[in-house]
Amino acid sequence: MMQKAIDISIEGHLASMKAAKPGMTEYEIEAVMEIHLQTPRRLEDVGYPSIVGSEYNACILHYVSNRKTTENKDLVLADCGAEYQNYTADITRTFPVSGRYTNEQRVIYNIVLEAQDSGIVACRAGNGFKEPHNRAMSVVQKRLMELEIIKKPEEARWYFNHGTSHYLGLDVHDAGTGGNLKVNSVITVEPGIYIPAGSPCAEKWWNTGVRIEDDILITDSDPVNLSGKLPRKAEEIEKLMQTTTTP
Ligand code: GLY
Ligand code: MN
Ligand code: MN
């Protein structure tokens, strides 16, 4: 059931990335997504209110008003998942509405991707629940220090201000077994970096909000990314966005 919810969600994310263009409102991008999550053939519901935030709004956790009109340079953070037979997906992608990341956006994007890769590797049975978070956070700390966005590792919390994982299942933030990770649990791995305007760093980084979120099955060997069919790399997303369709 969860894989089905995830597969439907992947179609929604693909459709909204292909349809997005500057001048669309956040809610229009949300609408393209939700049409694909809820066609009559497989109608159920969204697993949680869709988050579609551009520019400054991408830096607001659980932003759901989705009212802004996008502009050329905006990043769009889309955190949307379908529900199927009461199970939910939970997937985030962050894309440039123009189809091309600016240099600064690409730098931040690639740090979040590296953090996510490090977190996913740590999704192994027997590891502590916080191990993916600790790995992802240490990548963000190191890279933000290198860019002089922060001066001390602890300051990374200003820009990566949430945990990396939660259990996923009947609820988007599902009850879990707690303790060490167990075979057949599904958890999210969703690091983010959010630098709203006014942050104490160079202005060129302002209003960059990036999260990448996938749904990871813990097995008795390697972790399985159940949402891994949806492109994650910046270049793959840019390529996908050049395939435009009419919503
Ligand atoms: N969609 C809510 C979350 O990622 O936790
Ligand atoms: Mn999540
Ligand atoms: Mn999410």
Side-chain angles (χ1 to χ4, degrees):
M1 299 305 176
M2 290 180 74
Q3 185 67 69
K4 178 91 178 170
I6 289 165
D7 290 344
I8 295 168
S9 307
I10 289 173
E11 283 186 47
H13 277 271
L14 287 171
S16 64
M17 283 193 269
K18 287 181 189 173
K21 53 181 188 303
M24 277 174 84
T25 58
E26 296 163 344
Y27 61 80
E28 285 171 317
I29 296 171
E30 175 188 4
V32 175
M33 172 88 64
E34 292 185 2
I35 283 168
H36 283 78
L37 303 191
Q38 303 188 38
T39 56
R41 187 159 52 84
R42 54 196 178 201
L43 171 71
E44 295 225 342
D45 202 349
V46 289
Y48 52 90
S50 299
I51 298 166
V52 180
S54 59
E55 200 226 9
Y56 185 89
N57 297 335
C59 301
I60 303 172
L61 300 185
H62 300 290
Y63 168 81
V64 290
S65 54
N66 303 349
R67 307 316 292 168
K68 182 179 168 292
T69 301
T70 62
E71 292 170 44
N72 202 36
K73 286 258 166 56
D74 291 357
L75 272 183
V76 177
L77 185 156
D79 182 344
C80 307
E83 185 169 293
Y84 186 78
Q85 298 288 299
N86 296 318
Y87 284 86
T88 186
D90 187 9
I91 303 176
T92 306
R93 290 294 182 268
T94 306
F95 57 86
V97 74
S98 68
R100 193 161 170 77
Y101 295 90
T102 65
N103 292 342
E104 286 77 20
Q105 289 168 351
R106 191 181 308 274
V107 166
I108 299 298
Y109 190 92
N110 285 334
I111 296 171
V112 177
L113 187 66
E114 184 187 350
Q116 197 203 25
D117 283 336
S118 303
I120 291 172
V121 166
C123 292
R124 302 194 78 91
N127 277 356
F129 175 77
K130 285 202 80 177
E131 189 61 24
H133 177 71
N134 295 341
R135 304 262 189 114
M137 181 56 93
S138 66
V139 169
V140 172
Q141 288 174 333
K142 177 164 174 259
R143 297 295 182 211
L144 293 187
M145 298 260 292
E146 285 169 2
L147 292 171
E148 300 182 351
I149 291 176
I150 58 172
K151 295 193 179 64
K152 296 184 280 193
E154 313 79 272
E155 293 171 2
R157 288 294 295 168
W158 298 345
Y159 302 115
F160 178 12
N161 54 351
H162 58 74
T164 297
S165 299
H166 55 79
Y167 290 96
L168 184 70
L170 288 167
D171 196 0
V172 63
H173 295 160
D174 210 21
T177 50
N180 292 347
L181 295 173
K182 293 192 175 139
V183 173
N184 287 335
S185 287
V186 177
I187 64 168
T188 64
V189 177
E190 51 175 307
I193 296 176
Y194 316 93
I195 312 177
S199 296
C201 63
E203 215 172 310
K204 65 180 181 174
W205 304 112
W206 287 4
N207 286 340
T208 306
V210 176
R211 177 162 67 253
I212 312 173
E213 175 173 29
D214 283 272
D215 303 336
I216 310 297
L217 174 68
I218 312 296
T219 75
D220 54 12
S221 61
D222 294 337
V224 177
N225 185 347
L226 302 177
S227 44
K229 275 191 237 143
L230 185 61
R232 290 190 305 134
K233 292 191 179 139
E235 298 69 29
E236 291 169 347
I237 289 175
E238 287 176 333
K239 196 165 161 207
L240 171 72
M241 292 188 67
Q242 279 147 29
T243 328
T244 49
T245 54
T246 309

